[in-house]
Amino acid sequence: MKIGVFVCHCGSNIAGTVDTEKVAAAARKLPGVAFATDTMYACSEPGQEGIVEAVKEHGLDGVVVASCTPRMHEATFRRTVERAGLNRYMFEMANIREHVSWIGKDMDANTNKAAELVAMAVAKLREDRLLFPKKFDINKRVMVLGGGVAGIQAALDCADGGLDVVLVEKTTTIGGKMAKLDKTFPTVDCSSCILGPKMVDIAQHPNITLYAASEVDDVSGYVGNFKVAIRKKQTYVDWDLCTGCGQCMEKCPSKKTPDAFNEFIGPTTAINIPFPQAIPKKASINAEACIMLTKGKCGACAKVCPVEAIRFDQQEEIVHEEVGAIVAATGYDLFDHSKYPEYGGGRIPDVITSMQYERMLSASGPTGGHIKRPSNGEEPKNVVFIQCVGSRDKSVDRPYCSGFCCMYTAKQTILTKDHIPDSQSYVFYMDIRSPGKNYDEFTRRAMEQYGARYIRGRVAQVYEKGDTLIVRGADTLTGTSIEVEADLVVLAVGAESAKGAAQLAEKLRISYDTYGFYMESHPKLKPVETNTAGVFLAGCCQGPKDIPSSVGQGSAAAAKVLAMFSKDQLESDPQISQVDIKRCIGCGKCMSTCPFGAIKEIDFRGQKKAEVIETVCQGCGLCTATCPQGAIQLQHFTDNQILAEVTSLCPPLLEKSFE
Amino acid sequence: MPPLAGKELRIVGFLCNWCSYGGADTAGVGRFSQPTDLRIIRVPCSGRIDPLFILRTFMNGADGVLVSGCHPRDCHYSEGNLYARRRLEILQRLMPFIGIEPERFSYTWVSASEGQRWQKVVGTFTDEIHAIGPAKPFGVSMEQLEKQMAGVLASPENAGAEKQEVERAAS
């Protein structure tokens, strides 16, 4: 076999701490290596052309590129060697950037290590075999998980692109967090006026099937052919019949039910429609508050319902959907401010969260758009906003910036002035982070035109003094401590990953970071893909985002799905398991180990044997490590290939002694 | 090419492609400095690792072997890392019977986002291996070793060190 080795400088990224010329020279001495050179940027056009030319000139059978991580450019170089006329699997990569040049400064040690990694890749390449992908059909339907603004955008774009869309929302209405907002920054647009029409489009689009009050129970299958089980939760109302007339809400005697949509600042009824623009506009019963469901008597709603839609005996239901791609847009949750006992949230009635304030500002909210102190219902004059509650604070395990809190606080100071012209807003902040289009201008306007007083420093304590609250904090610009008398304190709570995000990630087989946000495939170049083919991300499930970014990512995810579905068939990865029928003894261990059910039993001339279902196999190699016979081998990661790497690193000490 | 004499020992890492290999990449991108002893072999899943690979690596003279995969319940292949855990747990317990110090082997979980954790894992493990020192030649009888070393022992400058080596292997 004639192998070519290309050692990349990556500018100074590699060449700065690795003697690439020496690595290439060492590679030339390896068995099988016919050509070795160092190159400035292997991934650039001239770099790739150099590889193609060398393959042709030297008649190479395989190529090793020593450069960055294969997780970055393996696909790029596989295309390059294919262009040179080789099989794309006759290629190996040695990671001498992330694993060598970037983690140490010792030139000798780095050069030595890089040369060894190249030797390892060459050893493996000598065991590589030609592999050929197969094609399989795809199911051109897409499932969007989460009906917030990101999910809505993704669903609409996919549906407008002609795809069948299944939208799954866990609450009883779509709209997500944006539906709860009064206005949006920096335009002070009415939130429901811009979101409402999109929600209606979802309801009316012929290509969209909406499952509200539903959650994903199980996901199986693979890109192009996912099978999803959806659990439809009980709403105790037959939604096929319910017209959303609202008569049941008027008659329901259980009028002190906690209202999750209004952030628990006002009560609602046990049977309710979350808000007037809800989609689907259907009533549902809160089982914990309903007198009929808890005590077995009442049934007032059933008596007044003109279409007899009430079903106290309704059960959960599992429905199955088959789709080719999944977009996760499951959003975020707000930080629990009671983790800051010094602010008094949950203890002092006049300390509320930003979202509660938002509901108060909203004309369709529980106070009809009037700002009231929860303690006595009076209009507050001094409103203090405390920023970074659950953001940029290691002590509560939230070291990241939630991104949008600076902006919504500025918006809320403006709205406060609009609602109560003789009011005064104070904002305790750490830094102002307003890097979007028109964002900085907006915060400036809050300060300059609306007179919000910005105080740089953290608040130490909020306590009650008679009828008012005292907010004590530091003013780090003047270096003094400061006390502000407040009628209302609004905590700008940060974003955290949605509850249940980790469990869903496990079902989708995608990864999440330390804080529970879903990991994109590459932080810069693949921001909407995941490492699981066919699963895409949109919105805050990937990290805190404002509305424009969420919408943008929703559209991006839709574009990825549409691009994937523009082909009728996908290529399957040939790096899957293969059974050597002669060695297989039909013990069935591989079958019971495979997490995907990708191995079936066949009858081969009267004997039991295993066979891999090629489109189902994901290439994990569990079966290969399990098989007592070594009869089932994961292609491209066979025992021989891995052992070749081991032997390259650790040559047998005394070969004879083992034989 | 041997590890740099006096500086490095031979440590081999088997890492799953999705979490730990990504974690090692993240550590690199973050420029988290690490000792250079470790050489990484990429496998699709920690469940792909046949425990015999690890034994072979030790038999061939590795001073340490590190396996790292996805955190339990966070496996790209749903449950590969759980199979790995069962196998490696047993392997670790068997090691003293085969004559390998179990401290030379470690398995852990590092996710793709945990660059800092990877730095710590590599640093700690490398330090531990350096504390134990180089592995003694594996599975070699006294006579074989003497025969193999005869040539080397002849050279005067190596005599002292190599003799010690032989004595250590024999003890």
Side-chain angles (χ1 to χ4, degrees):
Chain A
M1 186 186 266
K2 288 168 101 179
I3 295 170
V5 178
F6 301 83
V7 186
C8 180
H9 292 199
C10 197
S12 64
N13 281 308
I14 293 171
T17 55
V18 172
D19 189 336
T20 45
E21 226 171 282
K22 241 188 201 171
V23 175
R28 254 170 240 134
K29 296 185 190 134
L30 295 169
V33 173
F35 175 77
T37 182
D38 53 331
T39 166
M40 193 61 178
Y41 288 105
C43 59
S44 68
E45 202 196 330
Q48 293 191 36
E49 274 320 301
I51 296 173
V52 173
E53 274 166 33
V55 169
K56 289 183 178 154
E57 193 184 332
H58 300 275
L60 303 176
D61 307 303
V63 168
V64 168
V65 173
S67 57
C68 49
T69 168
R71 282 163 56 100
M72 174 102 94
H73 275 324
E74 192 169 54
T76 314
F77 290 120
R78 276 183 177 166
R79 280 195 298 273
T80 311
V81 298
E82 206 159 39
R83 222 169 49 232
L86 298 181
N87 182 279
R88 76 169 86 143
Y89 293 93
M90 296 307 285
F91 167 75
E92 290 297 330
M93 234 169 145
N95 185 348
I96 63 167
R97 194 177 73 177
E98 280 83 349
H99 293 182
V100 182
S101 73
W102 274 350
I103 59 166
K105 292 203 166 65
D106 184 331
M107 192 91 169
D108 287 340
N110 277 359
T111 307
N112 186 50
K113 181 173 174 182
E116 275 198 21
L117 295 187
V118 170
M120 231 169 82
V122 168
K124 179 167 181 224
L125 179 57
R126 286 166 53 197
E127 298 292 330
D128 280 358
R129 300 286 174 265
L130 309 186
L131 298 176
F132 299 94
K134 293 220 166 79
K135 298 204 166 201
F136 63 92
D137 292 332
I138 47 178
N139 179 351
K140 293 187 183 179
R141 300 179 79 223
V142 56
M143 175 168 295
V144 178
L145 306 179
V149 67
I152 287 173
Q153 187 65 38
L156 284 177
D157 284 347
C158 286
D160 288 343
L163 301 180
D164 257 350
V165 180
V166 181
L167 178 58
V168 181
E169 165 59 42
K170 76 175 169 192
T171 66
T172 55
T173 173
I174 58 170
K177 295 278 189 299
M178 186 177 170
K180 294 184 177 190
L181 305 180
D182 176 38
K183 303 276 188 331
T184 59
F185 58 79
T187 46
V188 203
D189 269 324
C190 157
S191 183
S192 59
C193 316
I194 53 179
L195 184 65
K198 278 188 183 289
M199 291 167 62
V200 176
D201 286 350
I202 292 275
Q204 294 181 345
H205 207 296
N207 290 359
I208 298 178
T209 314
L210 172 62
Y211 291 99
S214 301
E215 275 182 81
V216 168
D217 210 36
D218 183 52
V219 182
S220 61
Y222 51 94
V223 56
N225 295 281
F226 290 107
K227 290 187 179 69
V228 187
I230 300 164
R231 180 183 297 272
K232 284 171 81 175
K233 294 184 275 194
Q234 302 107 314
T235 56
Y236 303 101
V237 177
D238 186 339
W239 279 10
D240 291 334
L241 299 176
C242 179
T243 57
C245 68
Q247 285 189 40
C248 50
M249 289 170 74
E250 282 168 29
K251 287 286 181 289
C252 178
S254 179
K255 291 198 191 302
K256 286 189 176 165
T257 306
D259 186 356
F261 185 80
N262 280 324
E263 296 284 316
F264 307 107
I265 49 171
T268 183
T269 45
I271 184 164
N272 75 346
I273 299 168
F275 62 111
Q277 299 85 12
I279 298 285
K281 197 174 181 189
K282 307 282 181 189
S284 55
I285 295 178
N286 180 339
E288 280 162 29
C290 173
I291 300 170
M292 187 68 183
L293 289 170
T294 51
K295 298 198 179 115
K297 51 190 178 191
C298 178
C301 48
K303 283 173 208 146
V304 296
C305 180
V307 290
E308 295 176 357
I310 310 295
R311 299 278 180 277
F312 291 114
D313 57 350
Q314 199 181 50
Q315 295 299 316
E316 277 189 346
E317 196 187 332
I318 304 277
V319 286
H320 297 274
E321 288 282 356
E322 295 188 359
V323 296
I326 298 174
V327 177
T330 47
Y332 68 104
D333 271 328
L334 289 162
F335 182 79
D336 172 15
H337 60 288
S338 67
K339 286 181 186 159
Y340 285 95
E342 63 269 33
Y343 295 162
R347 182 164 48 83
I348 305 173
D350 291 336
V351 177
I352 62 171
T353 69
S354 46
M355 191 56 106
Q356 288 175 325
Y357 197 57
E358 203 72 45
R359 288 313 300 149
M360 239 192 241
L361 292 167
S362 168
S364 61
T367 58
H370 297 293
I371 306 172
K372 289 177 179 170
R373 299 182 68 192
S375 61
N376 56 13
E378 283 172 16
E379 205 169 64
K381 293 295 173 219
N382 285 342
V383 184
V384 171
F385 295 88
I386 301 176
Q387 298 230 260
C388 296
V389 179
S391 298
R392 303 181 65 201
D393 189 350
K394 270 191 181 171
S395 70
V396 292
D397 196 30
R398 296 286 176 271
Y400 55 85
C401 175
S402 296
F404 45 60
C405 333
C406 285
M407 291 305 297
Y408 74 59
T409 300
K411 173 194 73 184
Q412 289 178 345
T413 64
I414 289 176
L415 294 176
T416 306
K417 198 76 176 171
D418 280 344
H419 281 248
I420 313 168
D422 61 341
S423 67
Q424 174 65 49
S425 296
Y426 298 87
V427 181
F428 281 90
Y429 71 101
M430 290 167 68
D431 294 297
I432 297 299
R433 301 198 162 177
S434 51
K437 190 176 180 183
N438 290 327
Y439 281 16
D440 205 53
E441 297 92 314
F442 185 75
T443 46
R444 288 262 146 234
R445 202 149 55 114
M447 294 176 214
E448 288 159 13
Q449 280 182 29
Y450 288 83
R453 280 194 54 197
Y454 273 66
I455 305 157
R456 183 169 170 271
R458 266 205 184 273
V459 168
Q461 200 186 5
V462 178
Y463 61 94
E464 289 167 296
K465 189 180 174 190
D467 195 25
T468 57
L469 301 175
I470 305 292
V471 182
R472 180 185 287 167
D475 184 341
T476 53
L477 291 179
T478 59
T480 53
S481 66
I482 184 167
E483 282 190 358
V484 178
E485 214 168 283
D487 302 314
L488 187 67
V489 173
V490 182
L491 303 179
V493 284
E496 59 185 26
S497 57
K499 280 171 202 72
Q503 286 81 341
L504 181 66
E506 283 154 22
K507 287 172 191 159
L508 294 172
R509 296 193 295 276
I510 58 177
S511 18
Y512 48 92
D513 67 16
T514 327
Y515 306 105
F517 292 113
Y518 295 161
M519 292 251 312
E520 61 283 0
S521 194
H522 187 278
K524 302 231 165 17
L525 301 177
K526 288 184 174 177
V528 296
E529 290 101 323
T530 66
N531 276 333
T532 297
V535 180
F536 303 94
L537 302 176
C540 289
C541 63
Q542 186 249 347
K545 263 176 213 72
D546 57 12
I547 293 166
S549 309
S550 296
V551 172
Q553 212 185 8
S555 287
K560 285 285 168 188
V561 172
L562 284 161
M564 192 174 98
F565 286 177
S566 66
K567 306 181 195 102
D568 291 322
Q569 288 190 312
L570 288 179
E571 276 191 353
S572 68
D573 191 342
Q575 298 178 80
I576 53 168
S577 286
Q578 227 174 50
V579 182
D580 180 349
I581 213 103
K582 293 195 293 295
R583 293 180 99 176
C584 177
I585 53 165
C587 67
K589 282 200 172 72
C590 51
M591 255 178 280
S592 57
T593 317
C594 179
F596 305 99
I599 304 172
K600 65 178 180 200
E601 192 184 296
I602 54 159
D603 182 81
F604 182 76
R605 295 180 192 160
Q607 282 181 311
K608 222 168 78 168
K609 298 281 176 187
E611 191 178 87
V612 176
I613 310 165
E614 288 178 357
T615 47
V616 185
C617 178
Q618 301 286 296
C620 63
L622 273 182
C623 52
T624 312
T626 303
C627 179
Q629 296 291 305
I632 188 161
Q633 287 289 331
L634 175 61
Q635 299 305 301
H636 215 65
F637 287 96
T638 61
D639 287 345
N640 285 344
Q641 285 171 322
I642 295 173
L643 287 173
E645 290 182 89
V646 169
T647 337
S648 157
L649 286 176
C650 310
L653 285 175
L654 303 164
E655 265 169 341
K656 292 252 161 58
S657 68
F658 302 128
E659 284 158 11
Chain B
M1 232 157 297
L4 279 192
K7 264 190 194 167
E8 292 177 332
L9 288 177
R10 169 61 77 226
I11 304 177
V12 178
F14 292 92
L15 266 62
C16 98
N17 176 47
W18 301 101
C19 291
S20 294
Y21 197 90
D25 283 348
T26 309
V29 173
R31 312 295 202 274
F32 296 137
S33 68
Q34 295 152 45
T36 49
D37 309 44
L38 177 79
R39 313 284 191 260
I40 294 169
I41 294 178
R42 182 168 73 129
V43 288
C45 175
S46 52
R48 166 68 188 94
I49 300 165
D50 188 327
L52 295 176
F53 294 164
I54 295 159
L55 291 184
R56 169 71 78 87
T57 313
F58 277 121
M59 283 163 74
N60 286 10
D63 301 307
V65 174
L66 176 67
V67 171
S68 188
C70 306
H71 286 277
R73 298 173 61 79
D74 190 17
C75 176
H76 185 74
Y77 303 105
S78 350
E79 50 190 353
N81 52 358
L82 303 181
Y83 280 97
R85 183 168 67 181
R86 274 174 248 164
R87 289 169 187 158
L88 299 174
E89 194 59 42
I90 293 171
L91 175 73
Q92 192 154 39
R93 280 155 202 230
L94 275 173
M95 280 185 167
F97 296 96
I98 315 169
I100 305 166
E101 297 105 310
E103 299 78 30
R104 293 193 183 278
F105 168 67
S106 174
Y107 71 92
T108 185
W109 327 112
V110 174
S111 85
S113 62
E114 294 175 325
Q116 253 168 325
R117 182 174 148 77
W118 176 249
Q119 179 193 32
K120 216 176 129 200
V121 165
V122 175
T124 321
F125 188 68
T126 309
D127 287 349
E128 279 168 13
I129 298 302
H130 277 269
I132 311 172
K136 59 186 176 193
F138 184 86
V140 190
S141 74
M142 197 56 210
E143 300 83 68
Q144 281 172 321
L145 195 66
E146 260 170 350
K147 216 194 279 175
Q148 291 279 331
M149 293 294 180
V152 191
L153 287 171
S155 63
E157 71 268 28
N158 285 333
E162 296 299 342
K163 201 165 190 176
Q164 268 178 5
E165 191 65 26
V166 174
E167 277 161 12
R168 203 167 63 87
S171 64

